[in-house]
Amino acid sequence: MTNRPILVVDDDPHSRALVAAILSEEDFAVLSASDGAAGIALARKARPAVIILDIMLPGMDGIAILNNLKQEPDLKDIPVIGITASADLTYAEKAFRAGAQFFLPKPFRASSLLSLVEMAVARTLRNTPMQRRRRHPRHPAEVAV
């Protein structure tokens, strides 16, 4: 798919390890951070294909992290999957309003996580310069170039 890693930002070491194990089984490279500041710094350095972000973090929460990511030109187009253990749906709404493209409540199935990551990676690949679309000169359809 892509050689860019997946970044997991979660304060729970067990959650980070579980997500990393699930994604590693499918040959994704995984980076992880335990807080918002480390997550943003790692995103700047690694430019991941996807960010999996816990919304309920101590200190800088996931919404604040999303706001920071979406303000940076090099990071704003990275798809974000928001995750949380809360059953309160307002967290999902807040995450979408802040710029998350996907949301997954904890606990989740490995297959659900993988499906969302694959969709997010596909979105990243579509947004790379080589995959931008333009109109064919004789046909109204858009084609990948």
Side-chain angles (χ1 to χ4, degrees):
M1 284 187 199
T2 180
N3 57 0
R4 290 168 57 192
I6 308 298
L7 173 59
V8 180
V9 182
D10 195 322
D11 61 318
D12 179 15
H14 299 294
S15 290
R16 286 194 315 270
L18 177 64
V19 170
I22 292 168
L23 296 177
S24 295
E25 281 286 316
E26 297 297 319
D27 293 327
F28 286 105
V30 181
L31 300 172
S32 66
S34 60
D35 61 53
I40 291 170
L42 201 48
R44 286 178 183 141
K45 182 179 178 185
R47 302 266 162 61
V50 178
I51 298 172
I52 299 172
L53 176 62
D54 186 7
I55 300 303
M56 294 177 57
L57 291 170
M60 182 187 301
D61 70 2
I63 303 305
I65 295 167
L66 271 164
N67 289 329
N68 277 293
L69 293 171
K70 296 307 176 184
Q71 290 177 3
E72 295 197 27
D74 291 338
L75 305 177
K76 69 179 184 177
D77 293 327
I78 297 172
V80 175
I81 300 170
I83 59 174
T84 188
S86 174
D88 185 350
L89 293 178
T90 60
Y91 287 106
E93 180 183 349
K94 288 177 184 178
F96 285 127
R97 287 181 190 260
Q101 286 80 14
F102 305 95
F103 191 82
L104 189 62
K106 294 179 188 178
F108 48 78
R109 295 179 185 266
S111 60
S112 298
L113 176 66
L114 288 170
S115 293
L116 287 181
V117 168
E118 288 171 1
M119 284 190 282
V121 168
R123 179 176 282 192
T124 297
L125 291 175
R126 276 196 313 270
N127 289 334
T128 59
M130 290 175 35
Q131 293 294 323
R132 298 236 164 101
R133 302 176 84 70
R134 88 175 162 201
R135 292 197 175 274
H136 187 279
R138 290 180 291 196
H139 303 287
E142 291 184 356
V143 294
V145 292

